[in-house]
Amino acid sequence: MLKKLSKWFNGGSKAEPSKLSSETRTEKAVETRQEKAARIAEDIRNREAKEAPSPQQTPPASMMPPREEMTPPQEEPRQPVRRTIIQAPIVAQKKEETPDDGTIRIKAEPSKEGDSCKFMVNRSLFPGHSWYFPSFESAGGSPLAERMFSLDEVENLLIHESTATVTRKTKGHADWKPMATEIGKVIREILEAGQGVVDKKIEEDMPPAESIREEIQKVIDEEVNPGVAGHGGRITLRQVEGNTVTIEMGGGCQGCSAADLTLKQGIHNAFRKSVPFVGAIYDETDHAAGQNPYFS
Amino acid sequence: MPRLLDFKLTIETGDRGTEGPVLFSINNHQVPLENLMGGTGPGETLEGGFSVNSFAHSLTLIGPEAGEWGIKSIKVDYNCENTEPYSVTFGEVTLNDRTEVNIWQDPPLPTFDV
C-alpha cells in the first residue's frame, strides 16, 4: 500500500507542475496535497510499525485471552493415578490333605448358587479329559452316568478328571446332603466294581486337542464374536487341554450381569453343536477386574 | 463374602527390588502395611499385615511409585469371621506405578464327606 501511494505521489509530482500552472492551481495547493500525502504515508508507516509483532510487545487487544484466563495459573490438586488391577496366578491354595490308604474318599462341594455340587474323588474318573452328559439319553454306554440319571433329581452331569459335577433340577439353596450322600454311594459302587466311568467309544474317538482348538476358534470367530460384538463384548479362547476349553469374556461381557446366561445358553450351545467332542467349558474371566468392566 | 478380620502378607521379591513404603489398598483406600519384618530388596522377603475388621470388596497390593518391583510370590493368610483361616499363594508378578495386583480370594467353598 505504501509503495502504491509513493508511486502515485512521485508520478504526480513529475506531471503536476506544468499542468497546475495552466489549470490555474496555486503553488500552495500543490504543496498542501503533497504534505497530506506525506502525512498519510507517515501514518501508515507508524501504524505498520506498531502492528509488527515484537517479543516484548503486548499483543493487540483482539489477541488477548479473556479476562478469566488472565488470572495467574493456580496449582491444580494432584489427581490419584488410575492403576490397572492385574491378576497374579494362584500357585497354591491350602487344602486339607488326607493320606491315601486305599479307601475311596469323596468330598462334596455345593456351588455358591446351590444348583450344582462338585464331587471330588481321590481316584481318576476320566484321565486327561472331560465329558458332559446333558441328559439320560446321552448316558448310554457310560455306567456312572447311567446310574446317576437313575436318580430323579439329576439334570445333567459333567465329568472332568477326578471330579463329577451334578446339576439338579430343583434350583436354589436346598440342602445338598441327602442327594450328595446318594451320589457318593453311586460313585463308590461304580469304582469299587471296576466299571468304566465313561463309554470306551468316546475315549477312542476323541480327536486331538489341536483339532478341537482349531474348531472352537472357528466357532468363536464366525459365530460367537459377531453375536456378542453388538453388545461390545468379545470372547477369547485361553486354553484347550484335552477336550476341556477355557475362555475369557472381555469388553462389554466382562462384569455384565447377563454374562452367565450368555455363557451357558449361547456359547456352550454354539460350542457343543459345532464341536461335539468338547467337554468342560470354563470361564476364566475376572468379572470385577480390568480396565473397563461392564458395571464401571 | 465374609468379614475380613485380619490378614498377613509374605512377599518374596525376585531379581528386581524396590524401595519405599509398601502399601495395600482395601476397598480403594491405600494403607501401609503394619508389623513389617524383612525387606523388599532383590531376593528378600517382607512380612506384614493389617487388622481390617471390614468386608473386603477389593484387596490389592500397590505397585511402587517409581521403577518396577519384580515379585516372586505373595502368600496371603486370611482370617475371616465365621470361616476357618485359609491361605493363598499368588505367583510371579511385576508391579510399577501404574499397576496393583489383586490379593483377595474368597474363602474356599465348604465341603463335606460323602
Side-chain angles (χ1 to χ4, degrees), chain A residues 78 80-94 104-112 117 119-120 175-177 180-185 188 286, chain B residues 28 30 58 60 62-65 73-74 85-102 104-114:
Chain A
R78 199 178 160 199
V81 179
R82 190 180 164 88
R83 291 175 182 256
T84 305
I85 299 175
I86 51 179
Q87 183 69 54
I90 294 172
V91 291
Q93 210 154 357
K94 199 175 169 186
I104 296 171
R105 294 180 196 277
I106 306 168
K107 276 195 180 295
E109 184 188 272
S111 68
K112 265 187 198 172
C117 184
F119 296 86
M120 296 166 284
D175 187 11
W176 262 98
K177 275 196 176 155
T181 307
E182 257 185 285
I183 291 170
K185 197 177 160 194
R188 195 171 278 108
D286 182 355
Chain B
N28 285 329
Q30 290 192 13
S58 74
T60 60
I62 305 288
E65 283 299 320
S73 70
I74 307 167
Y86 63 102
S87 38
V88 173
T89 305
F90 296 93
E92 271 185 43
V93 66
T94 302
L95 297 177
N96 57 28
D97 63 340
R98 293 265 158 192
T99 53
E100 53 193 293
V101 62
N102 173 46
W104 173 252
Q105 192 69 18
D106 281 329
L109 291 168
T111 59
F112 52 91
D113 291 312
V114 291

Side-chain angles (χ1 to χ4, degrees), chain A residues 224 228 235-236 245-249 253 256-272 280-285 287:
Chain A
V224 176
V228 296
I235 307 299
T236 311
V245 174
T246 306
I247 58 157
E248 190 178 3
M249 302 173 89
C253 290
C256 174
S257 57
D260 195 51
L261 198 71
T262 306
L263 179 74
K264 287 177 180 161
Q265 291 191 3
I267 300 169
H268 280 212
N269 287 347
F271 284 1
R272 295 195 192 289
I281 302 164
Y282 296 116
D283 171 23
E284 208 182 46
T285 316
H287 285 279

Side-chain angles (χ1 to χ4, degrees), chain A residues 89-259:
Chain A
I90 294 172
V91 291
Q93 210 154 357
K94 199 175 169 186
K95 281 181 187 171
E96 190 191 333
E97 285 181 9
T98 44
D100 189 1
D101 55 358
T103 315
I104 296 171
R105 294 180 196 277
I106 306 168
K107 276 195 180 295
E109 184 188 272
S111 68
K112 265 187 198 172
E113 295 75 23
D115 58 346
S116 67
C117 184
K118 183 158 83 176
F119 296 86
M120 296 166 284
V121 189
N122 66 345
R123 294 283 185 282
S124 199
L125 301 177
F126 194 22
H129 291 97
S130 54
W131 197 253
Y132 177 66
F133 299 94
S135 60
F136 174 75
E137 291 72 27
S138 65
S142 301
L144 178 62
E146 282 177 356
R147 285 284 304 277
M148 287 277 200
F149 279 104
S150 67
L151 302 171
D152 282 344
E153 270 294 295
V154 173
E155 187 176 79
N156 61 54
L157 168 68
L158 174 72
I159 291 179
H160 182 198
E161 307 239 349
S162 60
T163 65
T165 304
V166 175
T167 302
R168 66 180 171 196
K169 290 172 184 165
T170 307
K171 304 299 173 196
H173 287 272
D175 187 11
W176 262 98
K177 275 196 176 155
M179 192 177 170
T181 307
E182 257 185 285
I183 291 170
K185 197 177 160 194
V186 168
I187 296 173
R188 195 171 278 108
E189 281 175 9
I190 293 285
L191 291 175
E192 281 173 348
Q195 291 179 278
V197 173
V198 177
D199 190 354
K200 281 272 176 212
K201 200 173 180 313
I202 293 172
E203 210 173 335
E204 286 163 9
D205 294 347
M206 185 71 70
E210 196 46 45
S211 157
I212 291 176
R213 167 183 283 278
E214 281 170 19
E215 286 182 67
I216 289 290
Q217 188 61 61
K218 197 177 166 198
V219 177
I220 290 175
D221 293 341
E222 293 177 4
E223 202 175 323
V224 176
N225 271 345
V228 296
H231 304 267
R234 184 183 66 253
I235 307 299
T236 311
L237 177 60
R238 305 300 302 177
Q239 194 183 27
V240 177
E241 204 175 355
N243 63 335
T244 302
V245 174
T246 306
I247 58 157
E248 190 178 3
M249 302 173 89
C253 290
Q254 186 190 10
C256 174
S257 57

